[in-house]
Amino acid sequence: DEIGDASKKLGDASYNFAKEVDWNNGIFLQAPGKFQPLKALKAIDKMIEMGAAADPKLLKAAAEAHHKAIGSISGPNGVTSRADWDEVNAALGRVVASVPKAKVMAVYDAVKDITDPKVPAYMKSLVNGPDAEKAYQGFLEFKDVVAKNQVTAASAPAVVPSGDKIGAAAKQLSDASYPFIKDIDWLSDIYLKPLPGKTAPETLKAIDKMVVMGSKMDGNLLKAAAEAHHKAIGSVDSKGVTSAADYEAVNAALGRLVASVPKDTVMDVYNSMAKIVDPTVTNNMFSKVNPLDAVAAAKGFYTFKDVVQASQ
Ligand code: DGD
Ligand code: CLA
Ligand code: CLA
Ligand code: PID
Ligand code: PID
Ligand code: PID
Ligand code: PID
Ligand code: PID
């Protein structure tokens, strides 16, 4: 396709730049400017809306391309192979082309809104400047091909299941865990802190398992889960807490999503995360909430998971 061909030209223009970026730099975990969690949540909401509008088959292909690219990383900077760099760009270009332009621009505008204007120049200062300019020129030509192939209407909304066992179990889980949800400080910057003692390549291994799980999920149920999150963000209070009803809808949507992949795929995520999350992290989280609320939530979760497993 045209986007695939254009991604090769983009690769010619941008792979030198890609090799110069230190992908293992911990700076990419930081907020791109002042830490403004509720504003950042708005920007993430725009990404969720764009994801919900995208073609699920193309999202799946993009997740598969990222998994493959993680497998071909080499060198100290963590760069993927030239062929996989092109494949990721092509896959993301196709995702972008599957949503209307306004949804893409809404992401750009909202991210711009939380980004300090000095950030791009600082990023450029870490690489060879002319290579960055060449890469950007390549991006500008690529985006014209994407725009030419872009849809004007979003894909159909998800079909949301109802009257199922997971939906009923989600009500119980949510009743048991909403007090715990209200105890959590959702606006803290602690969730952007590096995991104690873990390197980027170690962390990326666990993220790869999530990428694989994402690529195996049912596309309609993933879209439904994204829509549920978008609705939930719409009802957050000044402390970032969503309404009880929207929280329940998120739990139901995520339970159905988990049930759409094999158990081993879920356990691969759990086990790889358990390897990189030190017990001091979980203990620290526990110390910040009401312990009775946390225990009640955990009980609810362990009951819920049996219902999910039964429909898996
Ligand atoms: C950039 C953008 C990269 C900066 C990276 C910041 C993004 C951080 C994202 C943090 C998100 C947080 C949530 C993630 C979840 C975490 C959960 C825990 O360097 C601009 C200005 C605005 C920049 C900020 C907006 C960036 C938007 C990026 C898209 C969002 C992606 C989402 C990321 C999230 C993660 C995804 C999963 O646009 O951008 C550089 C540009 O900066 C440079 O400015 C441009 C002008 O816009 C353009 O008009 C033009 O002037 C150009 O061109 C210069 O500069 C000139 C000539 O005109 C060209 O013809 C050509 O010759 C060129 O020069 C060659 O140099
Ligand atoms: Mg990403 C984008 C890293 C998995 C879907 N992703 C980005 C970039 C960053 C990144 C490089 C955001 C910051 C930015 O804009 O820098 N992703 C990243 C990592 C992983 C990952 C490390 C780990 C596995 N992604 C992942 C998965 C998915 C996505 C699993 C779902 C399939 N990702 C996704 C989308 C988008 C990203 C849809 C974006 O739109 C965003 C992005 O790249 O926006 C431009 C700048 C970007 C780069 C350095 C890489 C692109 C290079 C271009 C082609 C040329 C360079 C131009 C110039 C110098 C700088 C860009 C200017 C900008 C205004 C266009
Ligand atoms: Mg999420 C999970 C935040 C958007 C899909 N997501 C999580 C949690 C965290 C979170 C609360 C990971 C950390 C953790 O496990 O804490 N997501 C979060 C935010 C946003 C977002 C802030 C922003 C809008 N997500 C989002 C989108 C999607 C997903 C758009 C795609 C549709 N998310 C997704 C999946 C999963 C998450 C598939 C998970 O599996 C993971 C998760 O919750 O795993 C348990 C602990 C979790 C909580 C505090 C909230 C859940 C409470 C449960 C139901 C009861 C509590 C049990 C116990 C006390 C603690 C957990 C024990 C553990 C061993 C299970
Ligand atoms: C400017 C000036 C003009 C010239 C110009 C110009 C530049 C405009 C630009 C630009 C626009 C632009 C847009 C970009 C958009 C990036 C969008 C990224 C989206 C990320 C998403 C993340 C996610 C997911 C994902 C799917 C999940 C949901 C999420 C489901 C169903 C200024 C050059 C024209 C870069 C969507 C993917 C996993 C949230 O106009 O003179 O330069 O860049 O998890 O969905 O689960
Ligand atoms: C524009 C103007 C509108 C019209 C429009 C428009 C276009 C927007 C577009 C577009 C946005 C867009 C985004 C693209 C982003 C590509 C990002 C590629 C990232 C590749 C990576 C590869 C890798 C790895 C990996 C992880 C490793 C690092 C690496 C570590 C820690 C402008 C059409 C709407 C194409 C990250 C995955 C292995 C490097 O909006 O008018 O056209 O395209 O090895 O991580 O090692
Ligand atoms: C300038 C002027 C214009 C011309 C121009 C220009 C240059 C702009 C530039 C540039 C922008 C730019 C951006 C770059 C962005 C790179 C983003 C990389 C993201 C990597 C991540 C990696 C990671 C991980 C991971 C998980 C870990 C955390 C991390 C935990 C819990 C100035 C040329 C356009 C280079 C996210 C995945 C391992 C961080 O605009 O005229 O030159 O470069 O380790 O999670 O640890
Ligand atoms: C233990 C001991 C026994 C008893 C037991 C027990 C507990 C096991 C547990 C547990 C397992 C477990 C699993 C959990 C899994 C969570 C998985 C989260 C996945 C997140 C993903 C994120 C993403 C995306 C997304 C889609 C994108 C890709 C991504 C596309 C196509 C120890 C109780 C049985 C909690 C996949 C969703 C946006 C990466 O076994 O005695 O306690 O918890 O962006 O994909 O866009
Ligand atoms: C298990 C054992 C195997 C069998 C198995 C199994 C099950 C795994 C499961 C499962 C995993 C799983 C995960 C679920 C996670 C639910 C997470 C809910 C999160 C809700 C949120 C709501 C909100 C918001 C929001 C953003 C705001 C904060 C809030 C800010 C900054 C165990 C079956 C494989 C159900 C986050 C979105 C508005 C609170 O593996 O043997 O069954 O379920 O307002 O953000 O304000």
Side-chain angles (χ1 to χ4, degrees):
D1 61 340
E2 278 192 314
I3 294 178
D5 295 340
S7 76
K8 304 239 166 9
K9 279 184 73 183
L10 174 57
D12 290 338
S14 63
Y15 193 59
N16 279 334
F17 164 76
K19 284 190 285 189
E20 288 156 14
V21 172
D22 178 9
W23 297 95
N24 292 324
N25 192 331
I27 199 172
F28 300 125
L29 188 58
Q30 287 179 30
K34 213 171 98 211
F35 177 67
Q36 309 166 83
L38 284 172
K39 235 175 156 187
L41 183 63
K42 273 198 188 133
I44 290 170
D45 189 33
K46 294 299 175 195
M47 294 184 214
I48 294 172
E49 282 195 84
M50 177 172 151
D55 180 338
K57 286 198 288 303
L58 295 174
L59 270 183
K60 184 184 278 256
E64 284 165 355
H66 279 84
H67 169 58
K68 185 157 180 290
I70 291 169
S72 73
I73 284 178
S74 69
N77 280 358
V79 75
T80 187
S81 71
R82 166 64 203 266
D84 288 339
W85 174 255
D86 293 5
E87 289 299 336
V88 169
N89 281 319
L92 292 182
R94 291 180 194 115
V95 168
V96 171
S98 79
V99 302
K101 176 179 160 180
K103 296 239 186 248
V104 184
M105 290 308 293
V107 173
Y108 176 82
D109 292 339
V111 174
K112 185 175 172 161
D113 210 34
I114 56 164
T115 303
D116 188 304
K118 293 192 213 75
V119 168
Y122 179 67
M123 288 300 149
K124 188 181 174 188
S125 77
L126 300 177
V127 296
N128 179 11
D131 285 340
E133 281 157 24
K134 235 178 91 194
Y136 183 70
Q137 191 57 50
F139 171 77
L140 289 181
E141 285 163 32
F142 180 73
K143 72 113 173 58
D144 289 336
V145 178
V146 171
K148 196 176 148 219
N149 288 280
Q150 197 160 29
V151 300
T152 48
S155 67
V159 180
V160 182
S162 66
D164 58 338
K165 292 200 171 107
I166 293 180
K171 163 123 187 70
Q172 287 193 299
L173 166 61
S174 306
D175 288 346
S177 58
Y178 194 59
F180 167 67
I181 291 297
K182 283 195 284 191
D183 293 341
I184 297 169
D185 181 0
W186 293 96
L187 307 184
S188 167
D189 66 356
I190 196 166
Y191 313 113
L192 286 178
K193 299 288 174 224
L195 291 168
K198 294 305 163 221
T199 64
E202 286 170 318
T203 308
L204 188 62
K205 266 199 193 125
I207 290 178
D208 187 34
K209 301 295 184 198
M210 289 202 279
V211 173
V212 169
M213 180 169 152
S215 74
K216 292 188 182 169
M217 287 169 167
D218 176 89
N220 173 59
L221 293 173
L222 179 56
K223 179 182 281 211
E227 288 168 356
H229 279 82
H230 169 59
K231 182 156 188 294
I233 291 169
S235 74
V236 299
D237 63 18
S238 61
K239 292 160 85 188
V241 178
T242 189
S243 71
D246 288 344
Y247 173 62
E248 181 187 328
V250 167
N251 277 325
L254 291 183
R256 290 176 192 123
L257 194 53
V258 170
S260 78
V261 300
K263 176 179 160 179
D264 285 355
T265 309
V266 185
M267 288 310 292
D268 282 351
V269 172
Y270 177 82
N271 289 322
S272 62
M273 286 294 166
K275 240 184 251 167
I276 58 167
V277 178
D278 191 282
T280 56
V281 173
T282 25
N283 290 336
N284 184 238
M285 290 294 130
F286 188 62
S287 76
K288 291 172 190 292
V289 295
N290 178 326
L292 293 177
D293 291 347
V295 170
K299 267 195 187 153
F301 175 77
Y302 293 122
T303 309
F304 181 69
K305 69 117 173 63
D306 292 334
V307 180
V308 170
Q309 184 165 7
S311 16
Q312 203 163 21

